[in-house]
Amino acid sequence: MATLLHIDSSAFPGKASSSRSVTDAFRNAWEEQHPEGTVIYRDVAANPVPHITADAFTAGFTTPSAHTPEQSAAFAARVKLIEELEQADAVLIGAPMYNYSIPSTLKAWLDNVILLGRTAGENPSAQGTPVTVVASRGGSYAPGTPKESFEYVQNYLEAVLGGILGLDTDFIVPELTMAPRNPAMSELIPLYRASRERAFEDATTKAKELAKRLAA
């Protein structure tokens, strides 16, 4: 049975988080198709992975027999994260927009799993693995909107997940999530609701389609 690697990075718990709500819908639909399958779950907000250090970085370019004790410990933590990615048949990532970018906790995970000569380079070890990213945001940065040029989440993750790691990247984008909380955005509440409903529908549909494809 297939293995799903599920990563959440929102600082907000449960239903208070738009990205978590949608990743939960995806995961629930996935598990319905794979009741005997495996889900590897990482909440990098509640349990952050270490930010990349000099020891962790240099160990990736040093023969293991030459590692210092500090390099060995730091590299072992990286390898565990890398192996989880390599074991996955599909990846699900909750990536809310914070200050026009991704949470630093998610960036830390990426910095750890990107290893030249293994997950990155000529033949990335997880190449072709489908990844679904739930990229929620308080406003809208879609083409044609006033803040289109501030869209750094999808552009960055497409470059890193697709360009460096070689993953097959797909996005679900719940937007205008601040509309119900910000009086200045009250007229956008209908658009927010439509976006939220579409995100849940996409999550359920994509999870089922992906599960069936991997089971075939």
Side-chain angles (χ1 to χ4, degrees), residues 185-207:
M185 297 175 67
S186 60
E187 64 181 19
L188 300 174
I189 289 177
L191 293 177
Y192 151 74
R193 289 173 175 162
S195 175
R196 178 179 172 83
E197 182 178 351
R198 185 166 57 250
F200 280 113
E201 289 176 354
D202 285 349
T204 300
T205 300
K206 290 176 185 292

Side-chain angles (χ1 to χ4, degrees), residues 60-139:
F61 301 94
T62 308
T63 303
S65 61
H67 284 177
T68 65
E70 293 78 14
Q71 285 178 316
S72 293
F75 193 60
R78 287 189 72 184
V79 168
K80 180 174 176 57
L81 298 173
I82 288 169
E83 288 176 344
E84 289 176 351
L85 174 61
E86 292 172 337
Q87 292 166 10
D89 297 292
V91 181
L92 171 66
I93 299 176
M97 178 184 280
Y98 291 168
N99 301 315
Y100 303 130
S101 187
I102 62 174
S104 64
T105 52
L106 180 57
K107 178 63 162 56
W109 179 82
L110 287 166
D111 287 340
N112 275 279
V113 299
I114 295 171
L115 180 59
L116 188 63
R118 182 164 176 175
T119 59
E122 188 172 346
N123 294 296
S125 56
Q127 186 169 17
T129 302
V131 55
T132 303
V133 180
V134 178
S136 60
R137 60 275 314 275

